[in-house]
Amino acid sequence: MATGKPKRPPEVIEDILIQRIFLVTLTNTDNKQVMYLEKMAAENLREGKSLLLNRDLMESVLVGRLSDQFSGESLFQYLTGCYGRAFEEGKKIITNMKDVDLQSSLVNGVIEPAKKSVVNYCRVYLHNPDMFPHSEKISAGSPLLPIIFSAVSENNTACGNEFLNEFFTDTADYDIMAPIYKNLYDTLNHEISKVNDSPLGNFVQPLKALKMLVRFPNGGKALVNHPLWLPKGEDVNGRVIEKESILGSFFHISALPDSTAIKYDLNQLLSSTSGALISSRLLPTNDLYGELTDLLLYLLNSKDKDTRECVLEYIGNVIEKNSSRAHMHVDTVTCASSGMFFNLSVVMLRLCMPFLKEITKRDKIDAKYVSNSTRLDLRALTALHASSEESAVWADENKLKSGNSQYSFICECFFMTARVLNLGLLKVMAEYRDLKIVLLESTDELSLMEEQPPSKYFKEEIARLSKMIELQYKVNSGYESHLLEDYNIQRALSFYRLMIVWLVDSVGGFKMPLPSSCPMEFGCMPEQFVDDAMELLLFVSEIIPEKLDPVLLNDFTNFIIMFIGSPNYIRNPFLRAKMVKVLNCWTPKRSDSDTAVSPFQGHQLALGQYLVGSILKLYVDIEFTGSDAQFLEKFFIRNEIAQLLKYLWEEPSHLDAWTKFAKEEEKGVYLNFLNFLINDSIYLLDEGLNKIRKLKEMEKEREMGKEREDKSDESHSEVEDESHSEVENDIRDYIALALEDINMLAFTSEQITAPFLLPQMVDRIANMLNYFLVQLVGPKRNSLHLKSAEKYGFEPRILLRKIISIYVHIARDDKENTFAAAICKDGRSYSDKLFNDVAKVPKIGEDGNEIELQEFANLGAKVKLVASEAMDAEAFLGEIPDEFLDPIQCTLMKDPVTLPSSNVTVDRSVIERHLLSDTNDPFNRSHLTQDMLIPDVQLKSSIDEFIKSRIQHTSRTGKF
């Protein structure tokens, strides 16, 4: 009967294990991979000991091996090889050995101590390689990094993970581990710098390696204490932090260009976009965002409080050193790239997610952070309402109340995210918009060039522009892949929803009317917070409206309605005007009004007079911006307001609110609104008509051959073409803006007439209408005839119909002939012939407005009669004493009032008309309001007596 293979004694098995793990033996061997420990063998023989290796000799065996020379592999490779062999032998023992007791003895007595000893010597070697004189010098870079890269890759091994866990966790001695970590971080920083030279490089592996390291004890502490964690010094700016700090190198990875695309310089476009020219689909941004977020979370959740503080300090420094990114033109030499700030924006939003999902946690956001924070200089930002002096007083009060109180992470994260989004996400959105404009201009320019006669010059320019457009499209693709990603947009919307809900909490919640005075907690907040929220809403509404969540829109709509007409809360009228743009994005288009639903249709705060009244107040506020440079901008803003008002007019509930507001504010805000509407109409149409005449003169010069025949003078031709184009664009702008205003006068005057008939308004509207009538049907009307007038939006016949409608609407309620008298009193423009000539305009009676034309003719007859009576009345008054004449209009005063500052007496209707546009005394520019006017009772009595005496004289003598 065959017998089985004899079992090896345990001591032999132990000897074999140690030989295999450490590649050593006490017996002579021809195996070149195994070292014969001759001295130890001789000593054992001399002492009569066995030549078998055992667990008690392992430490001596390892020391002996490490004291000798190495060839073919480094000392560190030998040690990690020992660990790998011990790992594999341990697996074999557990899998194959049936003797449980022997298995446990070998694993716990040989395998685990061997691995522990190897790890310990690895740590000692990396900490102080000079202890091993026969080993090679450690070359640049940490020998640990390949093991770490392997551990974080898809081909990771259990052995590598186990080795790293033992290496980094089996000690609490920071002083030993700090230099090892430093070398690793230096090596990682070098590796990631290679990736930044090519965005298609493998950034995932270095980033995962960094994330792994900070999870180990002392790993985070070592990172935040690294010299390159946050570079220091006077010369450190935003760009230095991005390029030199360890985190900055990782946040720099992006497919976005370092600076906005240049329009014409092809070489500059190429150099500024680098990686942005690569399809960003090849850049795994979700991996980048996720790993960066996890990295910061591990650091922030560290048991070491100093580590968390260093992370917040880092983010704060990045924000402050890059605060000039908020400027219109970013200095790319001193500021971090848009790519870094976009990545930081996404990561900060992800850090906010816990309290964005639970919006009730907003009570942990402390408004005093704005005034007291030493990390962010939020006080330097323009406040929503408070002046710098008021903000300073509030800050001092907060310091006395709170002392050196610590702010929660939610609070710090909230305000830091707000600043990062302003400098990152919102800035990138602005760059994207600018790029779209550049693209449009470039394609238009290319189209014009392709229409030119073939020439060498145009062929070269077409090739250059085509290449430029190709590059611009690639850059545009990079922006879209970042900005249009659903999760990023939704998180940003959620953040700003929290922002506006939190702001509304400070004024008592979503309700109207607002408290009479603005709480400092609201008034001292940076207006940037609200401005960024509106910019985000505009971007999403215009570019990707399908991403808008109706639930989120409800709170945004509430906020807009509450503050759009509240200068006592939001001082900047242009910021409130931006809210109008947002609402305009949400109004249903007439073409699809059956399916679209406005978020403020039936909205409780929108009903009543709140929305319409607020928007009308804003229309007035835009006049008083205090900046001459913004003169033309106000017309475009009011055009936005006019479009929204037109929509609201057509909604029954808002129309009711409008008529109610007009009645209540007939002599207040509504009168101001009408005054500025008339002012704008006159200015815009006048400018538009003058530009038409200028264009006709330019075209006439061309037709008469006054254009230069010498084509070599290209500069003159280009200037001339540019001037012609500018005039054409001006005509389109002025005419379009004027038509919007005149149209609003037409449809509002149909139902709301009383304000137009007030003494301070009736002359203004009459003079305006008469002036427009002269332009359109007077003797110079032919000067407005344009070829292809429709391409400029100028249709005189349609404009004339609108003017006629306004005349007729006001005349219908003119029971006292006030309007008729004002029309004929206009000596500059009115004539009976003018009214008669309207009926002679070709096709003016089309489109079913015959009734209005008849009413207009009737008005003309009435005005003629009133004019005749007025001449008789003027004659019977005779010569009027100078003291009875208004010093501004030189007309007989009916209700004289004295101006308190200049002490000049004027007619009430005249000065009230002046105050509609200018709240200053016209004689000395001191502040003046209607309630400051002082009735001159004695003078009025004298005037009345004068009129009475003239009537008696006429009655007695029958003569004037």
Side-chain angles (χ1 to χ4, degrees):
M1 185 175 179
T3 58
K5 187 177 180 181
K7 290 184 178 181
R8 290 171 177 166
E11 57 271 20
V12 173
I13 296 174
E14 196 164 305
D15 173 63
I16 294 171
L17 278 176
I18 295 173
Q19 285 189 53
R20 289 177 178 174
I21 292 170
F22 295 109
L23 298 180
V24 294
T25 180
L26 294 182
T27 58
N28 206 347
T29 180
D30 292 331
N31 189 344
K32 294 182 180 181
Q33 293 183 339
V34 178
M35 176 177 280
Y36 172 46
L37 299 177
E38 188 176 358
K39 290 182 180 180
M40 183 179 288
E43 186 177 341
N44 280 14
L45 287 173
R46 188 168 52 251
E47 296 177 359
K49 295 179 180 179
S50 169
L51 291 182
L52 295 175
L53 294 170
N54 60 63
R55 65 188 68 186
D56 295 332
L57 294 175
M58 281 197 302
E59 189 73 20
S60 300
V61 165
L62 189 53
V63 170
R65 179 65 188 91
L66 296 178
S67 301
D68 210 331
Q69 297 286 344
F70 285 85
S71 61
E73 66 177 355
S74 68
L75 183 147
F76 187 77
Q77 287 173 328
Y78 166 75
L79 286 171
T80 53
C82 290
Y83 190 95
R85 290 185 289 274
F87 181 84
E88 292 301 323
E89 291 299 327
K91 284 202 312 183
K92 292 177 186 176
I93 291 171
I94 294 172
T95 303
N96 301 324
M97 190 169 285
K98 296 179 180 180
D99 187 334
V100 177
D101 292 335
L102 181 57
Q103 180 191 101
S104 176
S105 174
L106 291 174
V107 170
N108 296 321
V110 178
I111 300 298
E112 293 304 324
K115 291 192 292 185
K116 188 177 183 67
S117 184
V118 166
V119 168
N120 185 54
Y121 275 99
C122 284
R123 195 181 294 120
V124 172
Y125 171 69
L126 292 177
H127 174 67
N128 189 6
D130 293 337
M131 289 180 63
F132 304 87
H134 297 295
S135 69
E136 82 295 347
K137 296 297 181 185
I138 297 178
S139 59
S142 172
L144 275 170
L145 199 57
I147 303 173
I148 296 173
F149 279 172
S150 176
V152 299
S153 69
E154 294 180 358
N155 300 318
N156 63 327
T157 63
C159 177
N161 288 328
E162 186 179 277
F163 171 79
L164 293 172
N165 283 328
E166 286 199 45
F167 183 91
F168 287 109
T169 58
D170 192 23
T171 179
D173 193 336
Y174 176 73
D175 292 335
I176 291 176
M177 296 304 298
I180 297 174
Y181 276 116
K182 180 182 181 304
N183 192 19
L184 275 167
Y185 293 142
D186 285 337
T187 310
L188 278 173
N189 202 38
H190 177 70
E191 290 292 320
I192 202 65
S193 67
K194 299 177 187 176
V195 176
N196 282 324
D197 292 335
S198 171
L200 292 180
N202 178 18
F203 71 83
V204 176
Q205 202 172 49
L207 184 50
K208 285 186 174 181
L210 182 62
K211 188 179 78 170
M212 169 186 275
L213 289 171
V214 301
R215 295 184 69 179
F216 290 125
N218 295 318
K221 182 178 180 180
L223 177 60
V224 299
N225 283 285
H226 192 285
L228 292 181
W229 167 253
L230 183 60
K232 304 288 186 182
E234 294 181 0
D235 296 332
V236 172
N237 54 39
R239 178 63 66 163
V240 170
I241 294 177
E242 177 180 23
K243 290 292 188 180
E244 296 186 7
S245 74
I246 295 173
L247 279 188
S249 298
F250 285 95
F251 274 99
H252 175 75
I253 299 165
S254 176
L256 293 177
D258 255 10
S259 59
T260 52
I262 309 301
K263 184 176 181 182
Y264 291 114
D265 190 337
L266 187 60
N267 293 326
Q268 193 165 357
L269 178 62
L270 280 166
S271 64
S272 70
T273 54
S274 59
L277 301 183
I278 303 121
S279 173
S280 54
R281 288 192 294 273
L282 300 176
L283 191 65
T285 51
N286 277 328
D287 288 343
L288 176 66
Y289 303 146
E291 298 295 340
L292 286 172
T293 304
D294 289 344
L295 174 63
L296 288 189
L297 279 173
Y298 293 144
L299 292 170
L300 290 166
N301 291 327
S302 171
K303 294 179 181 178
D304 181 46
K305 292 183 179 179
D306 290 339
T307 298
R308 173 175 169 170
E309 179 62 24
C310 286
V311 175
L312 295 174
E313 180 191 13
Y314 177 86
I315 299 173
N317 268 269
V318 169
I319 292 170
E320 291 304 305
K321 294 293 185 182
N322 289 283
S323 59
S324 61
R325 274 187 57 82
H327 298 167
M328 183 174 294
H329 299 290
V330 179
D331 181 3
T332 55
V333 175
T334 60
C335 287
S337 66
S338 291
M340 175 182 183
F341 260 88
F342 186 86
N343 292 339
L344 187 56
S345 296
V346 175
V347 170
M348 293 302 293
L349 285 171
R350 291 186 176 210
L351 293 178
C352 291
M353 284 310 296
F355 59 88
L356 292 184
K357 289 179 178 178
E358 296 184 44
I359 201 169
T360 53
K361 290 185 177 180
R362 65 183 182 272
D363 59 347
K364 295 185 180 296
I365 303 170
D366 190 343
K368 293 190 288 294
Y369 185 93
V370 171
S371 63
N372 290 9
S373 171
T374 56
R375 210 181 309 278
L376 298 181
D377 186 15
L378 296 173
R379 288 177 59 184
L381 303 175
T382 303
L384 281 169
H385 186 267
S387 64
S388 55
E389 293 78 12
E390 290 170 333
S391 294
V393 171
W394 186 64
D396 292 339
E397 292 174 353
N398 289 337
K399 286 180 181 178
L400 292 174
K401 293 176 183 177
S402 56
N404 296 321
S405 61
Q406 295 295 314
Y407 296 99
S408 68
F409 173 73
I410 289 177
C411 183
E412 294 246 31
C413 187
F414 174 79
F415 287 108
M416 284 185 169
T417 302
R419 289 292 287 135
V420 168
L421 292 178
N422 175 261
L423 304 175
L425 176 65
L426 274 299
K427 191 68 178 177
V428 172
M429 286 179 177
E431 291 173 2
Y432 174 68
R433 281 198 182 104
D434 291 343
L435 179 59
K436 299 289 279 187
I437 294 172
V438 169
L439 257 174
L440 182 62
E441 292 174 349
S442 298
T443 51
D444 287 347
E445 186 177 358
L446 180 62
S447 298
L448 289 173
M449 285 188 176
E450 290 174 337
E451 294 173 359
Q452 301 300 318
S455 70
K456 181 181 178 181
Y457 168 77
F458 283 120
K459 185 176 180 181
E460 291 174 351
E461 280 298 291
I462 288 172
R464 183 189 67 83
L465 259 180
S466 298
K467 181 63 176 176
M468 173 71 73
I469 292 170
E470 180 185 352
L471 295 177
Q472 288 171 345
Y473 269 113
K474 289 181 178 179
V475 176
N476 185 71
S477 175
Y479 273 101
E480 288 182 344
S481 69
H482 285 68
L483 287 171
L484 308 187
E485 204 278 324
D486 185 60
Y487 289 114
N488 294 339
I489 291 295
Q490 293 305 327
R491 286 174 180 139
L493 286 169
S494 294
F495 177 83
Y496 283 108
R497 178 204 179 196
L498 171 64
M499 172 68 77
I500 61 103
V501 169
W502 175 74
L503 284 171
V504 168
D505 283 347
S506 66
V507 300
F510 287 111
K511 57 185 179 182
M512 292 287 276
L514 288 166
S516 56
S517 60
C518 176
M520 294 303 289
E521 287 79 3
F522 183 94
C524 289
M525 292 303 104
E527 70 173 30
Q528 172 195 106
F529 292 172
V530 176
D531 189 61
D532 288 349
M534 296 303 115
E535 282 292 342
L536 177 65
L537 289 173
L538 281 173
F539 180 86
V540 179
S541 299
E542 293 170 354
I543 308 296
I544 40 176
E546 67 275 8
K547 303 295 183 185
L548 289 171
D549 182 350
V551 176
L552 291 178
L553 287 191
N554 189 55
D555 286 332
F556 285 118
T557 305
N558 274 324
F559 182 88
I560 290 173
I561 293 170
M562 287 178 68
F563 298 105
I564 195 170
S566 304
N568 290 335
Y569 281 78
I570 298 179
R571 189 189 301 274
N572 185 348
F574 294 102
L575 174 52
R576 289 184 283 124
K578 197 169 288 186
M579 298 178 184
V580 173
K581 291 185 178 181
V582 173
L583 292 181
N584 267 335
C585 289
W586 297 345
T587 56
K589 306 300 180 187
R590 298 192 65 83
S591 58
D592 59 359
S593 58
D594 293 337
T595 57
V597 177
S598 165
F600 47 82
Q601 272 185 331
H603 198 285
Q604 288 304 308
L605 286 184
L607 299 177
Q609 66 184 42
Y610 295 127
L611 181 58
V612 171
S614 295
I615 294 172
L616 291 171
K617 289 175 184 177
L618 176 60
Y619 192 99
V620 173
D621 289 344
I622 290 297
E623 183 74 17
F624 307 106
T625 63
S627 172
D628 293 337
Q630 294 165 336
F631 173 72
L632 289 176
E633 187 179 1
K634 76 176 180 181
F635 297 118
F636 291 98
I637 293 173
R638 281 182 172 158
N639 183 255
E640 287 276 354
I641 298 173
Q643 292 176 40
L644 180 58
L645 287 171
K646 182 179 180 181
Y647 163 73
L648 295 175
W649 181 269
E650 295 169 354
E651 291 293 318
S653 60
H654 295 298
L655 176 57
D656 291 343
W658 190 322
T659 54
K660 180 181 178 183
F661 181 84
K663 186 174 182 180
E664 293 174 352
E665 290 287 338
E666 185 178 276
K667 297 183 179 180
V669 173
Y670 199 76
L671 199 61
N672 287 115
F673 159 70
L674 291 179
N675 179 67
F676 291 127
L677 185 57
I678 292 170
N679 282 355
D680 291 359
S681 300
I682 294 171
Y683 176 83
L684 293 168
L685 189 58
D686 207 31
E687 286 293 307
L689 298 181
N690 288 335
K691 294 291 182 183
I692 288 175
R693 294 185 178 101
K694 182 176 181 179
L695 182 67
K696 284 177 65 69
E697 290 176 6
M698 295 173 71
E699 292 178 343
K700 184 178 180 181
E701 288 181 3
R702 285 185 172 186
E703 292 171 1
M704 293 175 64
K706 292 184 178 180
E707 181 182 16
R708 292 177 181 266
E709 294 295 337
D710 186 2
K711 299 300 182 182
S712 63
D713 189 1
E714 293 182 359
S715 61
H716 175 82
S717 178
E718 288 176 4
V719 170
E720 191 175 70
D721 288 342
E722 183 177 356
S723 177
H724 186 272
S725 177
E726 286 178 358
V727 172
E728 287 188 318
N729 289 334
D730 285 345
I731 292 173
R732 292 187 187 95
D733 286 343
Y734 284 122
I735 293 297
L737 293 171
L739 284 176
E740 193 73 53
D741 287 349
I742 292 169
N743 183 54
M744 186 149 59
L745 283 168
F747 67 71
T748 56
S749 61
E750 186 172 12
Q751 296 198 38
I752 304 174
T753 311
F756 291 103
L757 296 172
L758 291 173
Q760 57 268 51
M761 181 56 63
V762 68
D763 288 346
R764 299 225 58 229
I765 188 67
N767 292 348
M768 182 198 84
L769 295 173
N770 289 345
Y771 176 69
F772 288 164
L773 210 57
V774 168
Q775 302 299 314
L776 296 173
V777 300
K780 296 182 179 181
R781 62 182 179 276
N782 290 332
S783 66
L784 301 176
H785 180 69
L786 271 178
K787 296 178 182 177
S788 304
E790 63 278 359
K791 79 174 185 177
Y792 304 105
F794 180 59
E795 300 180 77
R797 194 175 292 106
I798 293 177
L799 177 58
L800 180 58
R801 288 171 184 161
K802 293 291 182 185
I803 299 300
I804 291 171
S805 293
I806 300 170
Y807 270 116
V808 169
H809 294 161
I810 300 174
R812 286 171 183 169
D813 282 345
D814 185 27
K815 310 303 181 186
E816 304 295 327
N817 287 343
T818 306
F819 182 49
I823 292 172
C824 64
K825 189 168 63 176
D826 175 19
R828 185 183 65 169
S829 300
Y830 169 74
S831 71
D832 180 42
K833 182 178 183 301
L834 192 63
F835 272 68
N836 293 330
D837 287 345
V838 169
K840 301 175 184 177
V841 174
K843 300 182 181 180
I844 191 63
E846 293 182 356
D847 298 333
N849 66 331
E850 294 88 352
I851 296 176
E852 280 195 350
L853 275 176
Q854 183 57 53
E855 289 185 78
F856 182 75
N858 295 340
L859 173 63
K862 180 193 286 187
V863 171
K864 183 178 181 180
L865 178 61
V866 171
S868 175
E869 293 173 350
M871 290 179 63
D872 293 343
E874 184 177 348
F876 103 81
L877 284 175
E879 185 176 350
I880 302 172
D882 290 344
E883 63 268 24
F884 295 167
L885 294 174
D886 173 79
I888 298 175
Q889 294 287 349
C890 292
T891 54
L892 178 65
M893 291 186 283
K894 297 179 180 178
D895 185 6
V897 291
T898 302
L899 310 186
S901 177
S902 61
N903 204 35
V904 176
T905 300
V906 295
D907 194 30
R908 182 184 292 276
S909 64
V910 174
I911 193 62
E912 285 183 347
R913 189 182 314 143
H914 166 82
L915 291 176
L916 291 175
S917 303
D918 187 349
T919 56
N920 291 310
D921 187 319
F923 299 99
N924 63 5
R925 307 304 299 160
S926 60
H927 180 65
L928 181 65
T929 58
Q930 287 190 30
D931 60 323
M932 296 168 66
L933 302 177
I934 304 169
D936 192 332
V937 178
Q938 184 175 352
L939 181 58
K940 186 177 188 314
S941 177
S942 299
I943 293 173
D944 291 344
E945 187 62 34
F946 166 74
I947 295 173
K948 182 180 178 180
S949 66
R950 297 304 301 164
I951 293 173
Q952 290 175 348
H953 173 76
T954 302
S955 299
R956 186 173 60 254
T957 63
K959 298 179 180 181
F960 294 131

